[in-house]
Amino acid sequence: MIEKLLSQYPTAKLQEEPPQNNKKYQWFFDENNKVYLGIQRQDLTNDTEVLLACLFEKWEPAESLVPARNLSILQKGWYSLLHDGQVNEVVGEIHHLRFIHIELLNSELSAIDIEEACTGFFNQTIQMVWLTDTSLVLIEKDSSDSIQLEDVIAFSKILEGDFYVKAKFYLGKWRSFSEVKEVTNFFQREYQLFQRLLREFGKQSYFTFERVVPYLMINQLPKDFIKMLKEEYQSVIEDPELLHTAQVYIENNMNTSLTAKKMFMHRNSLLYRIDKFTEKTGLDLKQYESAWIIYFLSLLSK
């Protein structure tokens, strides 16, 4: 299908990364092949555009999705910086920042309610900027008391439990900047990565760069290799409790005492499960090479 469209529209573009704002092209996302198809608007008739929207997901760059929320002067300053690279003095120092991206799935709360929930929970000086009606970003400037993943998870549970709001989060990386354009480019890369993760790993609620790298690597593996892995270790994939034990053990640096504490079990019970896992798979959990295979298996089983 894609090949035929490319031959039909010689000026069309095909790429894996989310495109930047370009008014000349109408973009579509091919879910099966995970690629973006851009066709010049002047080449599209209304009927053709409707047909393509039925075949693919019609996609608009984030820059064109100006939020309907009423932004404060400070928020407008940040919005211009993040999307257009335009500096406003109201933003202040921008030498050291981190972005925490949030996507609301079913919120009927007002912007003020969401902002009050954020500031009330995190209890520190963070700036919130609405990107669309359902997307916002928290901006941190002080890394000495930064928000941790555990904080984000706790906040998510409060949103869902108290306000019936489901949300997904990407906890960005701290970064130092020497030029304004670096801030804009870095934010755009993180935002585009988050949007990709939302599409490809919709079951996950919390993302960090370190956590998503294995998922992205799995997506690049040949399908026949993934099939072979699943067949080779089918016995543990079908035993989610045992596989989860192995994953938690690896995530806690093969520390038996810490893993047992995290899983609320006796140390001897944990050792029994680890021995059982090794017996079933032939993989030594204490070996780095085996740890990679086990971690991939835990991700494939989700």
Side-chain angles (χ1 to χ4, degrees):
M1 172 68 74
I2 292 290
E3 289 76 11
K4 290 182 179 178
L5 288 170
L6 291 175
S7 62
Q8 179 73 25
Y9 300 98
T11 59
K13 294 182 178 181
L14 191 67
Q15 59 190 60
E16 294 183 357
E17 293 301 320
Q20 298 292 332
N21 190 15
N22 190 331
K23 295 181 180 180
K24 289 178 59 178
Y25 286 83
Q26 174 60 60
W27 291 93
F28 301 90
F29 180 67
D30 180 2
E31 177 67 30
N32 293 327
N33 297 304
K34 309 298 182 186
V35 293
Y36 296 87
L37 172 67
I39 299 176
Q40 287 195 13
R41 297 181 188 275
Q42 64 183 21
D43 296 334
L44 286 174
T45 64
N46 290 335
D47 290 342
T48 303
E49 186 172 342
V50 170
L51 177 60
L52 289 173
C54 294
L55 298 173
F56 308 105
E57 177 186 344
K58 196 172 180 180
W59 192 87
E60 296 290 349
E63 294 90 335
S64 65
L65 300 176
V66 179
R69 314 274 190 181
N70 293 323
L71 302 183
S72 67
I73 294 176
L74 182 56
Q75 288 177 329
K76 289 179 180 178
W78 275 108
Y79 188 89
S80 297
L81 171 62
L82 298 180
H83 285 294
D84 305 319
Q86 297 179 2
V87 183
N88 191 310
E89 60 182 12
V90 299
V91 170
E93 296 289 333
I94 55 172
H95 300 307
H96 192 55
L97 302 172
R98 180 171 71 167
F99 303 110
I100 299 175
H101 305 259
I102 304 176
E103 184 72 26
L104 305 175
L105 304 183
N106 63 337
S107 175
E108 295 183 0
L109 294 178
S110 67
I112 294 177
D113 291 333
I114 295 293
E115 291 173 16
E116 287 181 350
C118 288
T119 54
F121 179 84
F122 294 115
N123 192 28
Q124 51 189 294
T125 306
I126 55 173
Q127 178 58 50
M128 282 161 287
V129 182
W130 289 97
L131 307 173
T132 71
D133 286 345
T134 59
S135 302
L136 70 154
V137 61
L138 308 184
I139 304 167
E140 283 190 281
K141 288 187 176 183
D142 182 10
S143 59
S144 63
D145 186 27
S146 61
I147 297 171
Q148 304 299 313
L149 179 60
E150 291 76 13
D151 301 323
V152 170
I153 293 174
F155 179 60
S156 173
K157 291 179 178 178
I158 289 176
L159 279 181
E160 187 167 354
D162 295 351
F163 301 101
Y164 307 104
V165 174
K166 290 186 177 181
K168 295 183 181 292
F169 300 81
Y170 179 82
L171 192 64
K173 301 179 69 173
W174 280 101
R175 181 64 63 90
S176 296
F177 305 99
S178 57
E179 298 181 16
V180 172
K181 66 178 181 180
E182 293 178 355
V183 179
T184 306
N185 291 339
F186 182 72
F187 167 78
Q188 290 291 338
R189 286 199 302 271
E190 281 202 338
Y191 180 83
Q192 291 167 7
L193 174 60
F194 184 40
Q195 296 305 306
R196 177 181 175 183
L197 295 171
L198 291 175
R199 289 191 303 271
E200 298 183 11
F201 308 105
K203 293 182 180 180
Q204 303 298 315
S205 298
Y206 324 106
F207 302 99
T208 65
F209 184 75
E210 294 79 8
R211 282 173 169 248
V212 302
V213 166
Y215 284 104
L216 297 175
M217 291 176 67
I218 284 178
N219 261 19
Q220 302 302 315
L221 291 176
K223 292 183 179 179
D224 57 345
F225 180 74
I226 292 178
K227 181 181 179 182
M228 182 272 289
L229 269 181
K230 288 183 175 180
E231 291 175 350
E232 180 71 19
Y233 299 106
Q234 183 177 0
S235 61
V236 290
I237 290 178
E238 294 177 349
D239 189 345
E241 186 178 12
L242 189 61
L243 188 57
H244 177 65
T245 300
Q247 180 181 353
V248 176
Y249 183 65
I250 293 169
E251 290 176 343
N252 287 279
N253 301 313
M254 292 81 163
N255 185 309
T256 306
S257 299
L258 185 58
T259 304
K261 183 178 180 180
K262 284 285 183 70
M263 299 195 69
F264 303 100
M265 67 169 56
H266 193 277
R267 187 172 182 274
N268 290 340
S269 299
L270 175 64
L271 291 173
Y272 171 77
R273 287 194 187 182
I274 292 173
D275 290 340
K276 184 179 178 182
F277 185 92
T278 301
E279 181 182 338
K280 272 192 169 187
T281 63
L283 296 173
D284 186 352
L285 285 169
K286 297 180 181 179
Q287 295 294 324
Y288 178 78
E289 293 81 2
S290 297
W292 265 102
I293 298 175
I294 296 163
Y295 200 73
F296 275 166
L297 288 174
S298 67
L299 298 180
L300 288 171
S301 67
K302 294 181 178 180

